[in-house]
Every structure is written in structure tokens, then in C-alpha cells.
Amino acid sequence: MASPRIVFLSFSLSSCVSGSPCPSGTAREVSLNRRLGSLEFPNLFVIGTILSNRTNPYEDVYLDLSENNITDLSFQIFNNTIFQRVISMNLSENNLTKISEGLFNQFKCLKILNLADNQLKLISNDGFNELGSLVELILRNNDLTNLTSGILGSSKENSNLRRFDASRNRISFIGNNVFHKGLVFLKEVDLSYNNLEVFEPWPYIPMISDSLKEQMFFNLQFNQISRFSNTIGWTMTKEPNVMINITHNRLRYFRKEHFSQYFAGRIPTIFELDIMRLIVRDNPWFCDCGFYYLLMEITNTFYYFMAGSFMTCDDPSEFKGFNFSYFFDHPDQLICNITEKCPADCKCQDRPHDGYILVDCSRSGEYTDLPQTVPSGPLFLQMSHNKISSLSHRDYLQNITRLDVSSNNILLLKNSFLEKVPRLEHIDIRNNSLKTLPPKIQTFRVSSVMFSGNPLVCSCDTIWINDWIRRNSENMSFDSMSHHLCYHNGRHLRLVDVTWNSLVCYRDIAIIVSVVLGVLLIILIICTVVCCKRKYECKVLMYDFFRVHPFDQEPCDNADDTMKQYDLYLSLDRENEDIRLWVKDKLLKQLEKQKKSRPVYKVYYPCRQDDFGDSIADQMVENINKSRRVLAIVNSSYVKNGWSIEEFDFAHRLMEETKSGRLIVLQHGDLDLSTVTQEPLKTYLSGRQCLNVSDRWLWRKLRYELPQRPRTNPTSASRESLTGGFSSIHASMSESSGISENQMYNPDFVTTGVV
């Protein structure tokens, strides 16, 4: 009958892994502990013979080879199929230094392998590959310095391993694939008392079967772990089924960035940190600003009541032994000292509770200006009790939220400086040498500006300070307002008492008024000179903006002058196609097309309206007489055309003699005035009121010259008999131009087409 020990061992091993390919019956223990070298066990090669003699072919074997001073195991020792019945082998407390490849190939059903308390330094990557039934692997208390990938198989294998113990070695490196997804039954990993310096997320890699109710336990106690890393690129996607003990390591600084690498760069919440199941007690934590994030995350959650068991401070010395929960009532004490970019002789601290980085250079006595560089982030810059006389520009000014430059030698605070500190909320400029304050200071509340102890001068230019103080005095006591003083005639006055009357500032008002009136007089004189020099242009502008037409209205512009049926008669070289096109495309559209409030004029255009059956001369005389304005479009061909010159002369004489209209001259294109000899055309062209097509004020000037009240509904034109005066003018035209009377009355005389 089997002993109770053998029966219990048989039950425990057979129940370790369900569905094992090795049949399990009774188990027999074969102990060769401390027997190597005896008559029964003279050498390692007789192990197979001993097993054959002591067991029957149907028994599982528990083989104990411990404490035999074994230094080396060769492949030939276990090259016997009898070892396939060994389900547990104890090789502990020997002197083994390595495990060679293929050493355990015959141990197909081995479930427990104990190699503890040896001197193992090297294990082949494939040393345990054939141990598909292995449930427990013990490598405790050896000289291993690393665990290379593959030592526990690969992710393609469905390993039965449940317990792995490599504690009390000198392991400082673990390959990325040692703990792989195929370890679905893994329940306990003990890597305590090693030399690991970095926490990698190996415990989260095995895909632990959901059918296993218990959590996997990963023991990393008593290592040298001081930081978190993620070289394997693991990302939290679901809640892992593992508990990780990292107590008694060298974790010192808690930073939220340490954990964001496990959440795709996102800062995790306290709930997400909790499901990582990290036990980090009993580490030499340095309680500084890094804990502020954790403190704020825990507040108002149920973790608040468990915070006492989270962490205990080891440093700084004033917090040694303090529990994490202490800082719920003292969050302002969680600060970090900063050395990077910290100016010489200064103290730099990250103070998250206050919301700024403190740069304290006060009382150094060496600074004559602001420091060149400071740490980045919102700043509280303390520069009191130094030798600063002016505040220069610095690249970090936009980050300053609080500024203390009290007890220095500042002579002037400029508006330009305050404009460069847009985030400034509080400024202390007490006890300097300021004689006035910059007007920009009014954008601050008085309670946010401390400026007492400066030799401010009471003047009419600083009356605004009184108003500023009074506007913001609702939260200020009378005593605090009384601290703000200024000097006047050797006396100290409270700024709140300084008024226009007390300083007799009316003289200044008179000076200001005099200066303003003087400036206005100068402007008036300049405008008068300009109007005299450019009289015509000024009248055009007045008409354009105010519809004022001073001093130059024509009698025929009256509304009851029914003889004038047209506002404008066009005189041009009728044979010049360019002129006709310009008139059609530009001029007539400007004058005859309705647009907003612009007036519409009645234009007589000979090329469009002359009757070919009548005398051109008669029609010209008749229609000029019916027009209130005549526009002569003069170009190089116009001055060479005899008919055009006669038409111009007729219009001029008519307007001069009858005073019933106005002749307007418009120069079109380049024209050499030296070639124009005809009078009065030459005089018109050289005058200021001669219009030019290239003038950007052309249309303004033209509308100024045209009647103010156009004939939008003119009466029908009637052919009336010309007066004797007109007949004489007609005769003179025929005589001077060489055109016979028959020609003038000939309808075929003008051959140009109507445009």
C-alpha cells in the first residue's frame, strides 16, 4: 500500500492540469538525496537502473536528486525512456552552473522541476522546450543575471506552466518575449530579490484564461526598480487579471507621464491606474509636486478613504514617515525644486496647487535686470531686494502671472513693458524710485498692484490715479488707501485726496484749450491756402460730397427755361472711329444710365440723332441753341478738322453772346498743344478747367460742369426759324470754312455712319 505522502503527491500532481496527455496513476518517490557516490548510487549514469528496480512500469515517479554536489548534467544521463514516467524532479542544492539544450527531452510528463539553490548562470533558450506538461519551474537562489526570450517557450505554444519562481538571483534583464501570450494558465511569478531596475509591463502580456477565477500574482519585491518603461509597446485595452507587487523597491518619484505610456500617451484617470493593480507601498517615495496629480484624482472618489494605505513619504526630511493622506489637508506643500534653467542664486519650484512656477531671486542683491532664462510655464517671478533700475524685454514675459520687483531702484515703469506681460495678474512695485505710474496700470485692479513707498509726484498728469483708486476701492479699507501717497510742494498728500482743485489744474486746461484752438487755426489756414491754390478742385469736391454748386450757375439752368431741351451737346470729330466708340461705351453710359442717386442727362449726340435729310449746319446751329452745355471732345484729329473747328467757334460765340450756356472742353488722348494755333481753342486747352480723359476725377468734374437739374423729360424739339443773328453766324461759317451753302444743306455732306 502506498504511503500517505505518495498518495497525497499523486493527487496534487494529477489535479494540477486537467486534460494532460500523460496518464496519472499512483506516484512513487525515489529519493537519492545525498546518495551520490554510495554503493547503491555510485554515479549519475545508474539513475535509470535505480528507477527500473524501485518502480513498476505503471507508476509515476517523484525523483529527488537534491544535495548531491552535482556540477554538470550531460544529455546521456537522461537518455532513457524510463524518464518519461518522472512527473517531479528535485535537483535543488547542487552545484549546477548551466542547463544545456535537450537535457530534459525525455521528460515528456514532467510537471515539477526544482533547480533551486544551485549556481546556475546559463540556461539554454531551448532548455525547457520539450517540457510541455511542466506546471511548476523553480529556479530560486541561483546566479542568473538575465532571462532570455524563449526560456518559457513561445506564444505559439499553449503552455501548462502555472508557477515560475526565479527569486533570489541576480537578474537585471528580462527579454521582451519571456512572458508571452501562450502562458494562459500562469498563476504565480516570483522575481523577488533580484536586480531589476525598470518595470516593464511583462505581467500584462500573458492571456490568462477567463475560466480561471483567481488573479495571477506577479512578485517583484526587493528589486532595484526605480522607474517605469514600455519598450515592448504594450497598451491597456481591457482590465488585466493580474496583481503586481512592487513593494520594497526604489520607486521614488511619482509622475503621471510614467503611466501615460501605457495608455497611448493619454494621462490616465485614478480608475484606470487602479485596474493596473500595482502595489507600490514601502518604497522610498519623495513626496513632491508629482503627487499632486494623484491627490487631485483621488479627491471626491471612494479611493479617498483608502489613501492612508497608498504610500508613505521617505523624503524630503520634513515629511519622512508622513502618510499620503496628510496632503489632502496640505496640498500646497507638494512642490518640486527645479534646477534646469534656474538662474544663479535663485530658488525655482513647481507649485501646482498655486498654479505657477516660483522663481525666487529675492535678496540676492546682485541682479540689475530680470534674469535671462527661467524655467518654462506660468511664472511667479520674485526679484525683490536687488539693484534693478529698469525692466528689459525677455522672451518669457508672456508667461509671467505674478511679478515682485519691490525694494529695487526702478525709475520708470513703461506701458510697453506691461503690454508684453498679458497674463500678469499681480505686480508688486513697492519701495522703488517711481515718480509716476504708467497709464496701462489702470487695466489692473488696485488690489492687484502694490505701489506704496514710491516718491510719486502729485501733478495734473497723475489725477487719473485718484480716479483709478476710487473706482476699485470697494474691497479696500480706508487704511490701505491711505498708504498711497504723493509729493506736492514738499508735502505728502494721500492720492485719494488729490483733485483738480487741490492742484489748480485749470491753468493746464486753458493751456490745452489754447493749444487745441491753435492747431485748429493752423489747419484752417492750411485749408484756405489749399482752396486758393486748388480752387476749382475744391469746388468739385464740395459738389461731389454736398451737392453745393457755388457762384457759377448758368441762367439757363433754371427749371422754367423751356427753350433748352438738351443738357449737353457733343462736339467731336465725327470721322474718328475711336472717339465715337469711346462716346458710346463710356461717356453716354455715364451720363444717360440711371445708377443710385446719380442724375441722368439729356444728351444730343449728332452721330446718333442728326437727320440725314436736313442740312448738317442747320441742325448743328439749332441743337446747340437748344442745349445748356456743349462738350467739345478734342483730340489730334479734331484740331485738323475744319468742320470741328467751325463747330467749336460757333458754340463759343453763341455761349459768349447769349450767356445761355457753357462750353466744356475735354482732351482725349495725347495732344501737342504747340501744334494748336486756333483761338479760342488754344486758350481753352491751356486753362485749368480743361478736362482730360486720363484724369481720375474726370466724371466728378464733368458732373460739376453739367446742369444740376437735368432735363430728364425734355419737351419735343421743334424746328423753328433761326433769328437774323444766327443767319449771320451761319453765313460767316460758310465763308470762313470754304463750304458752300449748297454743301451745308446737302444731306450727303456728312458721310460718317451713326454710332
Side-chain angles (χ1 to χ4, degrees), residues 239 243 263 268-278 293-311 323-326 328:
E239 182 175 351
M243 181 68 70
F263 294 86
T269 65
I270 184 61
F271 301 101
E272 291 172 322
L273 287 178
D274 180 57
I275 64 175
M276 291 185 72
R277 303 292 189 268
L278 294 171
Y293 154 76
L294 189 60
L295 191 73
M296 293 298 101
E297 282 289 317
I298 291 175
T299 304
N300 300 324
T301 68
F302 64 87
Y303 297 102
Y304 181 88
F305 304 101
M306 301 183 294
S309 61
F310 281 1
M311 304 169 187
N323 193 273
F324 176 75
S325 58
Y326 166 79
F328 282 108

Side-chain angles (χ1 to χ4, degrees), residues 31-38 41 44 64-71 90-95:
S31 177
L32 298 177
N33 174 260
R34 297 184 181 182
R35 303 292 296 277
L36 183 62
S38 64
F41 186 24
L44 296 174
D64 185 357
L65 296 175
S66 62
E67 298 182 80
N68 280 305
N69 293 320
I70 301 172
T71 58
N90 186 355
L91 285 168
S92 64
E93 297 184 72
N94 282 286
N95 296 318

Side-chain angles (χ1 to χ4, degrees), residues 616-676:
I616 294 178
D618 287 345
Q619 293 184 79
M620 178 266 291
V621 171
E622 178 183 0
N623 291 308
I624 288 178
N625 184 50
K626 292 180 180 180
S627 301
R628 294 193 280 182
R629 299 288 189 274
V630 175
L631 176 62
I633 305 173
V634 181
N635 64 338
S636 56
S637 64
Y638 186 94
V639 299
K640 297 176 182 179
N641 189 307
W643 173 258
S644 299
I645 296 298
E646 290 302 325
E647 189 175 34
F648 181 88
D649 290 342
F650 173 76
H652 169 69
R653 289 196 299 273
L654 179 62
M655 299 304 176
E656 288 292 326
E657 293 174 5
T658 63
K659 304 298 182 183
S660 61
R662 182 182 301 169
L663 177 60
I664 307 169
V665 178
L666 171 62
Q667 181 179 330
H668 188 287
D670 296 332
L671 181 63
D672 187 358
L673 295 181
S674 62
T675 63
V676 182

